[in-house]
Amino acid sequence: MKESIQPELIPFDRMREQVEKNLTNYISQSSECLELPKITYEKGVSTISFPLPYFNETTIFTIISIIKAHIENVRIHSFDDGYYAFQMMNRNLFNTEGLLDNLKVEIFGLSSGSRTEITKKGNLSQEEINFSIEIFKELYEVEQDNPETSLRRLGASVYHDHGSLDWNYIAGYEDVKRKIRESIIMPLQNPDIYDSIARLTRRSFETNRPNAILFDGPPGVGKTTIARIIAGEVKIPLVYVPVESIMSKWYGQSSQNLSAIFDNTEFLGSAILFLDEIDSLAGSRNSSMFEATRRILSVLLRRLDGIDSVSNTITIGATNRRGDLDPALISRFDQTISFPLPDAKERAAIFGGYARHIDENDLLSFGEQTAGISGRSIKDICEYTERRWARKIIIQKAEAVAPPAEYYRYSINSWMGDNFNDAGEKTAETQREGNQ
Ligand SMILES: Nc1ncnc2c1ncn2[C@@H]1O[C@H](COP(=O)(O)OP(=O)(O)OP(=O)(O)O)[C@@H](O)[C@H]1O
Ligand SMILES: [Mg+2]
């Protein structure tokens, strides 16, 4: 059989330069004092070696999974306690000629300190270089044990700086704001007071602070925005978890990953864990996602079950369809805070936030005309108006001033057009564009 074309090999000096440059950069971002791997060329053999940050079963599995991602055929040469070796095969698996000259990864798990060695007779290919760099990064990333890095890798976003968002940004919703102040902000800001009371009242101490709160309400009423405002006010990080995307991204692996998200959030000390769109768990019950859903649900049930955590962390779940959620899941939440659609006065106030130059009477009439729409739709209407206005200004080469009330009224009328319904905002969008 004809051997397939061999990949281009990179001269040793260039390989070393590449690895060192790449990893110097990487190491400089780490909080730890890491050393570059030792890279040598002796007796015709290239070697990249470095000590392992820690050594256990996971180390081996991490290495195997990286090998699998980069190298087609590999043989386990040794799998003894303390010595593991993986030997790359020839392209043609049955051709064993020169096999031992191929790339080899060895892991020495010695009590005096573990190390890994990547060796190959002659020079490495680009793919083999990338693979060596990745092994180093992967193993040291785990060791850095930075919960935020891990959370990001798990698909969560961690927000610290909540920018200019504050309570004034949300117009109306006084009742919702009051409930949030009482059941989320006060306990997060004064945990000691709550705990002292529990010590006085309980036969055996358990926390009386809420563990989990459910935000329920239609799309676009400010649930996600308010979670960010809370985190900003309490000055703790917000760990944002889009449950839906986590489920579809890691089908099969998602329950372990969700569990890891909870663990890493606890490492942050004090945080808000925001599980957005938890109805995606309810929605996929009878589809092929069922098994993954069931497992992820069971992780949630366990983690929300008020395991008397002393940590100052609160979980907020957000849903558009509380009624569809598993009753066991609902029962894990200490309280549900309902976000209704805004009423006429609130709509006027929301308009006021996005069109502050419009006078009170016009705002009130905008509020009257927009029954049934969310804060998000109002924001969209205002943005749409500003874009239309900007086009006009550009075309007329006029000076930039704020759009007049009629322009808003026109947008509102087309938005509220005949076909408007709860789910029909996108249709309305197309219509409006068409009206131009
Ligand atoms: N009361 C309000 N005042 C000002 N802006 C609002 C208000 N309600 C919603 N908005 C704006 O609407 C947008 C959408 O809000 P947000 O994403 O928080 O909604 P949500 O309830 O999380 O929606 P979904 O269920 O679709 O995730 C945000 O830009 C937010 O600022
Ligand atoms: Mg949201």
Side-chain angles (χ1 to χ4, degrees):
M1 206 196 279
K2 217 168 115 204
E3 269 291 354
S4 44
I5 306 158
Q6 290 300 321
E8 193 198 336
L9 299 176
I10 313 291
F12 175 78
D13 283 340
R14 266 178 47 210
M15 176 276 272
R16 185 169 62 190
E17 194 187 312
Q18 215 191 100
V19 175
E20 288 183 346
K21 204 166 150 204
N22 193 309
L23 291 181
T24 305
N25 206 347
Y26 180 73
I27 286 173
S28 68
Q29 292 159 15
S30 152
S31 52
E32 314 256 69
C33 250
L34 301 181
E35 268 181 39
L36 283 173
K38 221 171 111 198
I39 306 175
T40 57
Y41 192 77
E42 272 173 31
K43 296 191 181 128
V45 176
S46 306
T47 304
I48 302 175
S49 70
F50 55 90
L52 291 171
Y54 66 104
F55 186 79
N56 58 28
E57 233 176 55
T58 329
T59 323
I60 303 294
F61 288 122
T62 308
I63 292 177
I64 292 178
S65 67
I66 303 168
I67 293 177
K68 253 187 71 185
H70 286 263
I71 288 153
E72 208 169 352
N73 297 312
V74 61
R75 176 178 88 175
I76 298 177
H77 193 71
S78 165
F79 211 81
D80 290 338
D81 258 349
Y83 179 65
Y84 303 82
F86 302 92
Q87 175 74 63
M88 311 309 138
M89 308 293 284
N90 287 327
R91 291 230 162 175
N92 174 354
L93 277 180
F94 301 104
N95 175 8
T96 52
E97 194 192 333
L99 187 71
L100 296 178
D101 295 340
N102 290 346
L103 192 85
K104 186 157 136 189
V105 181
E106 289 164 287
I107 300 142
F108 305 88
L110 307 170
S111 52
S112 56
S114 320
R115 56 186 303 101
T116 190
E117 270 189 11
I118 301 167
T119 50
K120 187 187 176 196
K121 184 157 182 201
N123 291 322
L124 275 66
S125 70
Q126 188 59 52
E127 182 64 7
E128 289 167 336
I129 297 174
N130 296 348
F131 156 78
S132 310
I133 293 175
E134 200 179 324
I135 284 203
F136 182 91
K137 286 186 177 171
E138 202 52 51
L139 290 173
Y140 277 96
E141 182 157 48
V142 175
E143 211 260 338
Q144 280 174 24
D145 211 8
N146 174 346
E148 282 196 27
T149 315
S150 312
L151 281 165
R152 291 204 177 93
R153 203 157 15 121
L154 289 160
S157 317
V158 185
Y159 296 103
H160 283 281
D161 180 13
H162 305 276
S164 56
L165 277 184
D166 63 35
W167 287 107
N168 292 329
Y169 183 83
I170 294 289
Y173 287 85
E174 293 312 322
D175 196 38
V176 167
K177 290 179 184 170
R178 180 186 53 77
K179 282 187 187 149
I180 288 175
R181 194 163 304 282
E182 287 167 6
S183 48
I184 303 179
I185 299 200
M186 285 161 89
L188 282 173
Q189 283 180 333
N190 313 282
D192 302 349
I193 296 184
Y194 287 77
D195 288 355
S196 322
I197 295 175
R199 281 202 187 81
L200 295 170
T201 57
R202 306 299 168 96
R203 205 165 270 151
S204 53
F205 175 76
E206 55 185 2
T207 181
N208 53 11
R209 284 181 275 136
N211 199 38
I213 305 277
L214 189 62
F215 283 3
D216 175 36
V221 290
K223 300 182 293 297
T224 303
T225 311
I226 284 190
R228 295 189 61 183
I229 295 175
I230 297 169
E233 170 151 358
V234 190
K235 297 195 175 50
I236 56 177
L238 175 78
V239 179
Y240 177 84
V241 185
V243 176
E244 164 117 60
S245 83
I246 284 200
M247 293 211 333
S248 45
K249 199 159 131 205
W250 300 308
Y251 181 75
Q253 177 72 29
S254 40
S255 55
Q256 287 100 305
N257 287 1
L258 184 65
S259 210
I261 287 177
F262 272 93
D263 289 339
N264 280 293
T265 303
E266 272 173 33
F267 288 143
L268 290 178
S270 184
I272 293 177
L273 179 61
F274 188 70
L275 304 173
D276 209 355
E277 306 157 34
I278 52 169
D279 21 50
S280 43
L281 287 171
S284 47
R285 293 225 107 197
N286 33 19
S287 68
S288 59
M289 288 288 279
F290 179 73
E291 184 51 30
T293 308
R294 204 184 51 73
R295 268 184 282 139
I296 210 170
L297 190 59
S298 96
V299 167
L300 264 183
L301 294 179
R302 218 165 346 106
R303 304 302 297 241
L304 293 180
D305 208 11
I307 335 142
D308 261 354
S309 74
V310 273
S311 85
N312 200 16
T313 290
I314 193 163
T315 305
I316 298 176
T319 175
N320 298 143
R321 298 179 284 140
R322 181 178 188 271
D324 291 351
L325 293 182
D326 190 288
L329 180 58
I330 296 182
S331 73
R332 294 304 193 278
F333 288 93
D334 299 282
Q335 188 183 346
T336 298
I337 297 182
S338 293
F339 288 62
L341 283 167
D343 62 24
K345 261 180 74 187
E346 284 171 327
R347 290 193 298 272
I350 300 174
F351 270 111
Y354 297 111
R356 65 186 169 97
H357 59 291
I358 298 291
D359 71 47
E360 196 60 32
N361 283 340
D362 283 323
L363 290 176
L364 286 173
S365 82
F366 294 171
E368 294 294 341
Q369 284 172 42
T370 47
I373 77 171
S374 66
R376 176 183 289 142
S377 301
I378 294 176
K379 190 178 177 190
D380 287 349
I381 288 174
C382 294
E383 280 175 359
Y384 168 68
T385 309
E386 288 168 21
R387 287 198 296 269
R388 270 176 50 233
W389 184 242
R391 282 205 290 270
K392 182 181 154 103
I393 287 196
I394 292 165
I395 291 167
Q396 298 186 343
K397 296 197 170 59
E399 200 184 325
V401 289
E406 308 89 77
Y407 254 72
Y408 287 92
R409 204 159 280 123
Y410 177 87
S411 308
I412 291 170
N413 288 340
S414 41
W415 186 278
M416 302 302 291
D418 295 345
N419 295 332
F420 179 81
N421 62 36
D422 257 0
E425 294 178 3
K426 285 284 174 268
T427 337
E429 172 91 30
T430 347
Q431 259 182 17
R432 289 195 320 272
E433 293 296 342
N435 283 344
Q436 283 308 285

